[in-house]
Amino acid sequence: MRFISVILLGVLLNLVNTHAYADGIVVDKVYHPYVLPFERELEWRIVSHQTGSGNILAQRIGLGSAINDTMSLEGYIIGERDDNGDFGLAGYEVELRWQLVEQGRLWADWGALFELEKHHNSDVYEATTGFLWEKEFGKSSLTMNAFLVYEWGGDIKNEWESEYRAQYRYRYRSEFQPALELFVGEDFFGVGPGFIGLHRFNGQRQLKWEVGFITEISQSEKNHSFRLALEFEF
């Protein structure tokens, strides 16, 4: 536990002292650094971001597959509802996950993530690269993501930003794994509970679900985010 506390303290100090953050909704999926050989995945994610001025709802549907033993490629269609209640197509995204080391080979498991997003009906592009890190302690797991983001295009100011996510999870049982999640982004420092579950079917088929409720704690204004994710691997 002392080792875990040292790691969390180091992460928190790094996050507090970071000045560049990513735009948009910060709360989203915490990525694990693993790729299953021959995996295929259908994914649906939704994030509801509630502030004093209204609610922004973002959804994405993705379909992906492993391209070898260590890499997985996935494409997404992104939709958003703005403060006026209008919902529509917001963008497209392609994502590459790369498992850098064999699970359990080193003291921690490492991976990398690369994303390219194009906003719909606007000249805005966003490229993301980052590291995925996970360490198991008995029945507990600590997962951390660190991303560097570059935005460019004719309708946006070209700039570099960064984003951080962390999840401490207790693997009570496969279907119920309580967690504590942390998200840091542009003018946002949020923390809250999460729940993860996994149900295995025959063969390699399995259904994974994630739920989280994150509260922004660095400002006094109302700022809550609810996230839900369903992944069917087959």
Side-chain angles (χ1 to χ4, degrees):
M1 291 300 296
R2 182 179 180 184
F3 179 64
I4 299 175
S5 300
V6 171
I7 291 178
L8 288 175
L9 179 60
V11 173
L12 288 173
L13 289 175
N14 182 56
L15 297 182
V16 170
N17 289 306
T18 301
H19 298 286
Y21 306 113
D23 289 331
I25 300 176
V26 177
V27 177
D28 201 351
K29 179 178 180 177
V30 179
Y31 286 88
H32 303 274
Y34 309 115
V35 174
L36 297 176
F38 311 111
E39 74 174 11
R40 291 177 295 174
E41 178 181 284
L42 178 63
E43 181 179 4
W44 173 63
R45 304 205 311 253
I46 180 172
V47 177
S48 176
H49 183 64
Q50 182 72 49
T51 66
S53 60
N55 177 269
I56 298 177
L57 183 70
Q59 298 188 57
R60 65 181 63 204
I61 297 177
L63 181 64
S65 174
I67 55 179
N68 55 37
D69 291 344
T70 61
M71 291 186 178
S72 177
L73 187 65
E74 188 163 1
Y76 293 94
I77 297 176
I78 306 169
E80 289 186 2
R81 187 187 68 197
D82 58 23
D83 291 336
N84 299 320
D86 298 324
F87 186 86
L89 181 62
Y92 322 90
E93 182 179 276
V94 61
E95 170 189 288
L96 176 68
R97 285 185 294 117
W98 181 14
Q99 183 174 332
L100 297 176
V101 297
E102 182 181 353
Q103 185 174 2
R105 182 178 179 183
L106 301 179
W107 69 276
D109 300 321
W110 289 86
L113 183 77
F114 304 93
E115 292 179 345
L116 179 62
E117 179 180 339
K118 168 65 171 67
H119 289 207
H120 184 61
N121 287 336
S122 63
D123 185 17
V124 178
Y125 295 84
E126 182 177 299
T128 301
T129 182
F131 285 106
L132 318 175
W133 181 96
E134 185 160 322
K135 174 66 176 178
E136 294 186 354
F137 308 89
K139 297 191 70 173
S140 300
S141 298
L142 177 63
T143 307
M144 292 187 290
N145 301 164
F147 300 126
L148 186 62
V149 181
Y150 182 64
E151 295 179 333
W152 78 98
D155 298 327
I156 194 173
K157 177 183 176 181
N158 298 357
E159 59 182 352
W160 288 95
E161 301 165 342
S162 60
E163 182 179 326
Y164 299 87
R165 306 171 189 174
Q167 180 188 82
Y168 182 76
R169 173 169 51 106
Y170 179 68
R171 302 190 309 278
Y172 174 68
R173 56 187 302 175
S174 180
E175 293 81 5
F176 181 73
Q177 303 173 47
L180 179 65
E181 299 181 334
L182 175 71
F183 296 86
V184 175
E186 182 186 14
D187 300 324
F188 186 91
F189 191 104
V191 64
F195 300 94
I196 296 95
L198 178 68
H199 180 76
R200 291 182 172 87
F201 302 94
N202 294 331
Q204 194 170 314
R205 294 184 301 164
Q206 60 183 24
L207 177 65
K208 179 181 179 181
W209 58 89
E210 297 187 10
V211 177
F213 184 79
I214 307 301
T215 299
E216 212 280 342
I217 60 176
S218 63
Q219 301 181 27
S220 59
E221 291 84 0
K222 180 181 179 181
N223 195 327
H224 305 297
S225 295
F226 171 80
R227 75 179 191 92
L228 170 67
L230 295 175
E231 298 179 18
F232 180 63
E233 297 180 0
F234 54 99

